[in-house]
Amino acid sequence: VLLASRPSGVPAPEHFALVRTPIPQLGNGQILVRNHLLSVDPAQRGWANNEGNYSDPVSLGTPMRALAVGEVVESSTPHYCKGEFVYGWFGWQTYCVTDPDAVLRRVTQSALPLSANLSLLGINGLTAYLALHQLGRPVAGETILVSTAAGSVGSFVGQLARILGCTPVGLTGTAEKVRIAQQRYGYSTAINYRQETAIAQALQHACPQGYDVFFDNTGGPIADAAIRSMRRHGRIIQCGTASIASWAKPVSGVRNEREILTRRLQWSGFIIFDHIREFAAAAEKLTELALSNKIVFDEEILFGLDQAPTALSRLYRGQNIGKLIVQLV
Ligand SMILES: NC(=O)c1ccc[n+]([C@@H]2O[C@H](COP(=O)([O-])OP(=O)(O)OC[C@H]3O[C@@H](n4cnc5c(N)ncnc54)[C@H](OP(=O)(O)O)[C@@H]3O)[C@@H](O)[C@H]2O)c1
């Protein structure tokens, strides 16, 4: 699936082209990976756009950048063997010839399904685990507000917060997701932000004492309102900006500097790819939690490569329940 043209916001199917080409020859030191499962991530919107980001934009006419889980089917390096499964930058394509540095983590065999390597043990679970612990520094008894609470990252933040003895409060976009967040992901309460005319009041009603940590995945008006009910010395984790369709032009909103100052807040950005060395240890911990039934992971699996181009807009319409994955094999 090639990126055929640059979107100005959320990529739609017309921005991609499905083509068939021969598998390139394997160079010295390279591996050929047969992709089994492709990841669909909100971050792909930013990678496809030509805007300031933490990584270069995907070049037009090249396979769409994506994380994937695949099997090494040929290897000309001693570091990876034929038959081994790996997680890394293999793109929205059936096969990928690559240098080994595209591999982020080896897939270790466990009782968990292979797909868990893209959800619980992929960037969603890893981001929830590492960002919450390292930037949120939650202490038992604290309240943690989470936006996109019923999404993949949000589902893990709620459950991890609960495990740590905290009270997670969620924001999400439908009544069904409110129910799932509360009944399945450990949220003590959840707010449907699309139904509320005044998010600030709904937050005050749900958390009269405010919250200590705000795990923000949306930015925009939700974040503008949420910051104003933070407790003193609160920590804001800026993990995503799902509500802002494009950063091409400056986006304006209310000014919150005074809130940061007077409430003594810490506002930190988190990018999971700064933490690759911590992936294996975090994945081991998350595996333990899942195998001891302390954490659940939900996935929505679409079948066939031709599903990939439509999957991103599905994510941005909030239609996914759980981690969106495209299965090829
Ligand atoms: N910083 C990092 O390293 C890192 C790594 C992984 C993910 N993330 C971020 O984490 C967030 C969640 O990612 P995910 O993969 O778990 O996806 P997800 O939450 O499963 O799916 C995205 C969700 O975003 C919400 N959304 C879409 N458009 C929105 C809008 N205009 N306003 C508010 N919410 C909107 C929708 O949920 P509702 O129906 O609830 O609105 C949708 O289901 C994203 O912002 C992503 O960029 C960051």
Side-chain angles (χ1 to χ4, degrees):
V1 176
L2 307 182
L3 182 65
S5 60
R6 266 203 214 286
S8 58
V10 178
E14 62 266 26
H15 299 111
F16 299 101
L18 193 59
V19 299
R20 188 178 284 272
T21 56
I23 299 170
Q25 283 294 315
L26 203 65
N28 200 17
Q30 290 193 308
I31 51 174
L32 172 64
V33 178
R34 183 184 187 196
N35 280 335
H36 283 228
L37 300 156
L38 308 179
S39 191
V40 182
D41 288 294
Q44 287 173 298
R45 177 182 68 180
W47 303 337
N49 281 291
N50 200 4
E51 294 165 14
N53 206 335
Y54 57 88
S55 60
D56 292 335
V58 177
S59 302
L60 291 179
T62 65
M64 183 57 203
R65 184 183 301 151
L67 292 160
V69 168
E71 180 184 358
V72 178
V73 289
E74 270 183 57
S75 174
S76 65
T77 163
H79 300 296
Y80 292 97
C81 308
K82 206 171 154 177
E84 196 172 358
F85 277 80
V86 282
Y87 167 64
W89 294 112
F90 312 134
W92 275 355
Q93 52 190 344
T94 47
Y95 287 89
C96 173
V97 170
T98 180
D99 292 333
D101 59 7
V103 177
L104 293 180
R105 191 170 59 73
R106 280 174 211 273
V107 168
T108 44
Q109 293 288 335
S110 80
L112 299 179
L114 191 62
S115 57
N117 288 282
L118 286 186
S119 55
L120 176 73
L121 312 177
I123 59 167
N124 307 73
L126 295 171
T127 295
Y129 184 85
L130 293 169
L132 180 64
H133 282 91
Q134 296 184 8
L135 301 185
R137 303 185 302 283
V139 174
E142 288 189 330
T143 300
I144 301 186
L145 180 70
V146 185
S147 56
T148 73
S152 187
V153 170
S155 71
F156 298 124
V157 178
Q159 295 178 83
L160 291 167
R162 208 32 109 179
I163 289 167
L164 292 166
C166 298
T167 303
V169 173
L171 285 153
T172 187
T174 66
E176 172 65 354
K177 289 186 178 183
V178 163
R179 187 189 66 72
I180 294 170
Q182 293 177 157
Q183 293 181 1
R184 204 163 154 75
Y185 303 145
Y187 285 90
S188 68
T189 184
I191 297 165
N192 180 349
Y193 71 87
R194 286 190 202 272
Q195 215 174 37
E196 295 297 337
T197 43
I199 296 170
Q201 274 154 314
L203 286 170
Q204 267 158 22
H205 181 72
C207 311
Q209 309 301 321
Y211 22 83
D212 306 280
V213 177
F214 174 31
F215 197 114
D216 183 29
N217 289 317
T218 61
I222 290 177
D224 291 344
I227 287 171
R228 295 176 167 246
S229 288
M230 295 282 306
R231 281 192 189 144
R232 275 192 188 171
H233 302 287
R235 287 83 69 198
I236 303 164
I237 305 164
Q238 199 65 55
C239 179
T241 58
S243 77
I244 310 288
S246 169
W247 291 97
K249 292 192 187 128
V251 181
S252 56
V254 299
R255 309 250 27 146
N256 270 323
E257 294 90 329
R258 195 80 189 155
E259 302 298 322
I260 305 285
L261 170 68
T262 55
R263 294 171 195 266
R264 291 83 154 167
L265 305 178
Q266 286 182 22
W267 191 348
S268 317
F270 180 88
I271 298 291
I272 187 63
F273 305 112
D274 295 341
H275 299 265
I276 293 169
R277 288 204 192 126
E278 298 155 65
F279 280 15
E284 199 177 320
K285 188 74 200 157
L286 289 164
T287 301
E288 270 170 42
L289 290 172
L291 291 178
S292 53
N293 297 320
K294 294 198 174 102
I295 200 164
V296 296
F297 55 98
D298 289 332
E299 296 166 344
E300 186 175 323
I301 299 189
L302 309 171
F303 293 91
L305 188 61
D306 57 342
Q307 294 292 317
T310 54
L312 258 182
S313 29
R314 182 172 174 72
L315 204 62
Y316 275 101
R317 283 196 296 267
Q319 289 169 326
N320 63 306
I321 299 284
K323 168 71 186 176
L324 205 49
I325 292 173
V326 174
Q327 183 168 346
L328 303 184
V329 178

